[in-house]
Every structure is written in structure tokens, then in C-alpha cells.
Amino acid sequence: MKSANELLELLDLKSIDSVHFEGVSKTIGSPHVFGGQVLAQSVNAAYRTITNGRILHSLHAYFIEAGDLNVPIRFTVNEVRDGGSFSTRRVLASQNGIPIFILAASFHKQEEGYDHQIQMNTNLKQPEELLSWTEMLEQYGSVLPKITKHFLEIERPIEFKPVEVVNPLKQENLPPYSNVWFKLNNPLKEADLATKQQILTYISDYNILAAALLPHASKAHFGNTQMASLDHSMWFFRDFDFEDWMLYSIETPNASNARGFAKGNIFSRDGKLIACVAQEGLMRPMKKNPK
């Protein structure tokens, strides 16, 4: 999967009836279904039951079981409420009758009101000054750890350019934040806001939990730490487009009890705050095999 159109095909679920939908999966390098995929597909299912033009403003989700890449996912939407201004939906995703994911989503009619936002850090390197994941693979693939090399080799519809580049060969603890520029590989023109939100939801599960490893990078890495998304929340504020680079600015306030927590702000390149994200995930050190 390399293009935005292929991603849209993945997220556009097959309709069974008015509240039941079905989707398939594509790997991003993990043996299980990517959390961002089931998140975005669930948003697609919820949006399919919104007939009053309301726009998604928040979602809250829990990952219950690891999804099987080879089994279709069934999405069931509960139309909880359509009020005067807000519509609430609950989505259950399951495989072989077993729940793997639940989502609660709220949709709001378009209204005018007060407006403010935090400012984007403008002292960061711009995308043109940075290497993408693809370029890192081309330049350093021969010396990268096997697990990192395999992850970077997977084709994706999004290009990522990290501002703070982690050297996997230099084991040192790092500050509890990361900034990543991202952009779709090909333009996505004339997409409505609902479609753009689904794509942004998919992207939001990239990079965020990995930030929780940074303060422990002297001893923790993907090869010796079991990591999995446990929950995911997201708030959408403004319309946007994918014509230019966007910034995912992430910080990790806490890790404890084999869980890591991270939160992120997503900005357009001109500094508009588009969305905020929060996620907690499993971050369990693996026990070494006895000799």
C-alpha cells in the first residue's frame, strides 16, 4: 500500500446493512492489525450512520485484542443519540464474533464561537532539511538493526520525517518528546472533511507510543520491549488539507507500571492546530531467556 487512494480503499468499509460493515487489513510491519487502521475504519463506520452533516469532534477508543491480519473485521454501530447539536455513536469491531476494539465518537453541527490555540514550535528544522524514513533506509540500511530495517522497508502511503533522529546504535536516554513531519505520498484533492479526518486518525497511531521509549533508550528498544496500544483519544478542531507537510508534536509525561503515556498536537505547516491526541500503551520489558 503506497498511495493515498489505496489507503482510502482500505478505510472504505463494505456495507452489510445500515449499521453493520466489514473491512480487511493491510500490514505495516507488525504481525497484528495496526491500531490506526481499526481506529480509522471505525470512524468510517460511524460516519456512515451520520446523515445530518455533523462533523466528528472527538473519539475515545480501547484496543481489546490483537487483530488477526487474515480475518475480516466486522464493525457494528450503535446509534446512541442524535440530539439538537450533537450525535453520539458507539462502534464495536470484532473478528469471529470476538470483540477486538470499541470506539465512542461524538459529532457536532457546525457552529461559530470563540477561538484560540497554542502556538506551534517554529524553531524546528523544516521538512526540506530532514531525511525521510525512506531516505534513512537508503543511506543507513546496511547498519540498521534488523527489526528497524524491516519496519522501514514496508511501503506506506505516508512519508515521515523525524526532527529528532534516534540513533539505534547509540544507547542513551533521550528527552521525553519527539516531532515528526508527515505528508501523503501523493496529493489528495477535493476530499471532504470526513475523509480527511479518517486518514488523520489512521496516521495518529504512528510515532506516538514510540515516544514513551525515548527516556529509557539506553536500555529499552522495540527488540526487548513488548508494546501495544491500549487506548486512544483524539479531538478535532479545524479543517485542513494534505497538500503540504503537517507536524506531529509529541510529548510523553509518564511511564509506570509497564505502561507508557504520550500526547500529541497535530499542526498544519502554517501553524494551525488541527487535532490533539492522547494514548496509553503497554510498555513491558521482556524477560531474557534463561541460559
Side-chain angles (χ1 to χ4, degrees), residues 231-250:
D231 59 33
H232 193 97
S233 295
M234 196 165 182
W235 298 263
F236 299 87
F237 305 128
R238 294 171 178 86
D239 199 352
F240 64 100
D241 62 56
F242 283 110
E243 297 301 305
D244 200 355
W245 291 91
M246 301 180 72
L247 179 69
Y248 202 172
S249 184
I250 303 167

Side-chain angles (χ1 to χ4, degrees), residues 28-160:
I28 67 158
S30 165
H32 304 297
V33 174
F34 174 48
Q37 176 201 299
V38 71
L39 272 162
Q41 287 175 326
S42 294
V43 172
N44 180 271
Y47 251 122
R48 301 273 279 273
T49 69
I50 298 294
T51 58
N52 52 18
R54 292 175 180 177
I55 297 298
L56 178 67
H57 74 91
S58 70
L59 62 86
H60 304 274
Y62 282 93
F63 300 92
I64 303 170
E65 294 279 356
D68 188 332
L69 286 165
N70 300 309
V71 177
I73 304 175
R74 176 65 68 95
F75 297 86
T76 302
V77 183
N78 181 359
E79 301 178 63
V80 178
R81 182 175 184 268
D82 286 305
S85 300
F86 294 88
S87 294
T88 306
R89 298 293 184 265
R90 186 169 62 233
V91 182
L92 173 67
S94 60
Q95 289 182 313
N96 296 325
I98 299 172
I100 65 169
F101 173 88
I102 53 174
L103 170 85
S106 182
F107 299 78
H108 185 201
K109 72 177 184 180
Q110 297 280 28
E111 292 191 66
E112 294 295 327
Y114 302 111
D115 195 308
H116 80 273
Q117 66 161 79
I118 61 171
Q119 297 303 302
M120 183 176 74
N121 184 354
T122 56
N123 294 320
L124 300 173
K125 285 187 177 181
Q126 295 300 296
E128 292 78 12
E129 304 174 76
L130 301 166
L131 292 179
S132 68
W133 284 2
T134 302
E135 291 165 336
M136 290 179 188
L137 179 64
E138 292 171 352
Q139 291 194 26
Y140 306 113
S142 61
V143 297
L144 289 174
K146 190 174 182 179
I147 190 170
T148 303
K149 185 173 184 289
H150 173 68
F151 179 77
L152 295 180
E153 285 174 337
I154 301 297
E155 288 188 341
R156 294 177 174 81
I158 314 111
E159 197 68 89
F160 295 101

Side-chain angles (χ1 to χ4, degrees), residues 166-179:
V166 178
N167 184 349
L169 304 178
K170 189 176 181 181
Q171 295 182 320
E172 61 179 0
N173 293 336
L174 300 167
Y177 61 82
S178 73
N179 294 276

Side-chain angles (χ1 to χ4, degrees), residues 28 30 32-39 61-67 100-102 201-210 222 225-233 248 258-262 277-284:
I28 67 158
S30 165
H32 304 297
V33 174
F34 174 48
Q37 176 201 299
V38 71
L39 272 162
Y62 282 93
F63 300 92
I64 303 170
E65 294 279 356
I100 65 169
F101 173 88
I102 53 174
T201 300
Y202 177 90
I203 296 171
S204 71
D205 196 35
Y206 271 103
N207 297 293
I208 185 166
L209 188 57
F222 290 113
T225 309
Q226 182 183 359
M227 301 191 71
S229 303
L230 296 174
D231 59 33
H232 193 97
S233 295
Y248 202 172
R259 301 189 309 273
F261 176 74
V277 185
Q279 183 178 108
E280 188 175 44
L282 180 68
M283 204 168 83
R284 178 186 291 149

